[in-house]
Amino acid sequence: MADIVADGELDDVRPTTPDDGERRLTTSLSTSVLAVLIALIIGGLILLMSGENPLTAYSAMVDGAFGSSFALGETLSRAAPLAIVGYGTAVALRAGLITIGAQGQVVAGAIGALLTAQFFENAPSAVAIPAAALGGALFGMAWVLIPALLRARFNVNEILSTLLFTEFAALLIEYLLNNPLKPPTAITPQSEPYPKNGILGLVVDGTRFHFGVFAAFVIGIAFVWWVRSDRGFSYDLYGENPSLAQSLGISSNRVIINSLLISGATAGLVGWMQAAGLLQRVYVQIASDIGFFGLVVAFLGGATAGGVLVAALLFGALQSGGLAMQSSEGIPASLSDIIQALLLLGFSIRYAPQIIRLTRGVMANFTLIGKRRA
């Protein structure tokens, strides 16, 4: 089966000369730099019209993202969850599926991790930490199980069902943090503090760079292995050409369910990271916009290992740098968001062919409610 190449992959296997490779690299770098420069110029004009100094603003943004150990830790702590969600979402995208449920799965994972950590409150950290991580991953998988079964068995579109379950998760965590999980003395909705034996320590004191960030590298290595494995190839083939994949004996139900469960597990793992490492308790907004941004990261990265990592780091740097620019220079948050959007738009235009190709593969399998599977 490894000799079979889907139509969309033919360009990637054509022989190239060293000159071709050098030319492609030069073109890629030059167009990426051009996209960033155009975005920065437009953002600078907007800053000028708003009475701000673009050079000062951009300097503050770079300094806020990379200028100190605290800034670098902030960037990494923001980028790691996005990368993990992006890797899980990329598995589904490569199989021709779009899940918008990562937001709810992060919430479910945070709840699962907290409950598991409380159950192992008296256990050694060597037991409590991996148990809570597993609990978060399992709760994330459980939260996407019904949408996965609906898609596999009844062709119910996963975009609609996972989005609906995200709303269910928002209602569930609001109820739990206002009732059974809320401490008696708490004024705002929140959980009890995370058990101390399950907390992920800081790598660098005085920063938010915790040991959970390293999970992003582990998941990234696992993703690379997955893409290169026979199983990963079969899922890619299904995403490119479902009919051909099924004719080769690849089970569509298995591809759909497993890829969505993988995406749910990674999102649930992020819920554990946020609860055990970053916030050390569970809040209503614990997922922030990680789930939605993770989908953008997966698309922007072309559902590839390197692309997802770079896109996540870009988002992390823009978020931490934008906040620093706002706090140090007094630039309104709206202008910071506009600059971030322009930079992302520049990269989106640069990688438009890859994103369009990925989108076509997904939309080829798009249905709202199809025929029931036999």
Side-chain angles (χ1 to χ4, degrees):
M1 186 170 63
D3 294 330
I4 299 174
V5 180
D7 293 339
E9 300 292 331
L10 289 176
D11 291 338
D12 295 335
V13 298
R14 288 174 181 167
T16 59
T17 65
D19 289 340
D20 290 335
E22 183 177 348
R23 189 180 302 110
R24 287 184 180 181
L25 178 61
T26 302
T27 302
S28 177
L29 290 175
S30 60
T31 52
S32 295
V33 171
L34 180 61
V36 173
L37 286 177
I38 292 174
L40 290 176
I41 291 171
I42 296 175
L45 292 175
I46 294 175
L47 286 169
L48 281 174
M49 289 187 292
S50 304
E52 305 291 346
N53 186 327
L55 295 179
T56 303
Y58 288 147
S59 177
M61 177 178 283
V62 173
D63 187 63
F66 305 106
S68 65
S69 59
F70 176 83
L72 185 58
E74 189 70 15
T75 297
L76 292 175
S77 67
R78 290 176 177 273
L82 297 177
I84 294 175
V85 172
Y87 287 130
T89 304
V91 171
L93 285 176
R94 296 175 74 102
L97 303 167
I98 296 181
T99 169
I100 308 186
Q103 192 78 2
Q105 293 148 25
V106 170
V107 170
I111 295 172
L114 176 64
L115 295 177
T116 306
Q118 290 175 341
F119 182 81
F120 287 93
E121 190 169 7
N122 297 320
S125 294
V127 175
I129 291 177
L134 180 60
L138 290 176
F139 268 65
M141 292 173 67
W143 207 252
V144 77
L145 179 60
I146 292 178
L149 292 174
L150 289 175
R151 176 65 168 84
R153 186 62 179 168
F154 301 103
N155 257 3
V156 175
N157 184 261
E158 69 280 359
I159 297 177
L160 303 179
S161 58
T162 54
L163 184 60
L164 182 62
F165 269 73
T166 294
E167 294 301 315
F168 291 161
L171 295 173
L172 176 63
I173 194 171
E174 186 173 351
Y175 165 75
L176 291 176
L177 299 185
N178 276 293
N179 294 281
L181 296 182
K182 183 179 180 181
T185 57
I187 299 176
T188 59
Q190 59 183 276
S191 72
E192 295 279 358
Y194 202 86
K196 292 184 178 180
N197 65 330
I199 290 177
L200 299 171
L202 296 175
V203 178
V204 180
D205 291 335
T207 71
R208 299 209 299 172
F209 182 16
H210 56 86
F211 280 99
V213 171
F214 292 112
F217 297 100
V218 176
I219 299 299
I221 293 172
F223 179 77
V224 172
W225 170 84
W226 168 267
V227 170
R228 296 180 177 180
S229 68
D230 290 342
R231 181 66 60 86
F233 175 80
S234 66
Y235 282 39
D236 287 352
L237 180 60
Y238 181 84
E240 289 280 351
N241 194 328
S243 299
L244 174 60
Q246 291 178 35
S247 69
L248 294 172
I250 298 174
S251 170
S252 60
N253 287 352
R254 181 178 298 173
V255 171
I256 292 169
I257 294 174
N258 287 351
S259 58
L260 290 177
L261 288 180
I262 290 171
S263 69
T266 56
L269 194 65
V270 167
W272 161 71
M273 286 174 52
Q274 296 298 97
L278 199 63
L279 304 176
Q280 299 182 7
R281 69 171 72 225
V282 176
Y283 296 96
V284 172
Q285 298 298 328
I286 191 168
S288 185
D289 289 321
I290 292 173
F292 298 124
F293 277 121
L295 176 61
V296 177
V297 163
F299 264 109
L300 191 61
T304 63
V308 168
L309 179 60
V310 171
L313 288 172
L314 175 64
F315 264 97
L318 290 175
Q319 290 176 1
S320 59
L323 289 174
M325 184 176 68
Q326 180 182 351
S327 61
S328 64
E329 301 299 325
I331 297 175
S334 56
L335 287 176
S336 173
D337 292 339
I338 289 173
I339 294 171
Q340 294 179 51
L342 287 170
L343 288 171
L344 292 173
L345 178 61
F347 274 98
S348 298
I349 294 173
R350 158 66 184 89
Y351 292 103
Q354 293 92 324
I355 295 173
I356 291 173
R357 174 180 166 186
L358 186 64
T359 304
R360 283 176 177 172
V362 172
M363 295 306 295
N365 298 325
F366 183 88
T367 58
L368 291 179
I369 299 180
K371 296 181 180 180
R372 179 174 176 175
R373 295 181 184 276

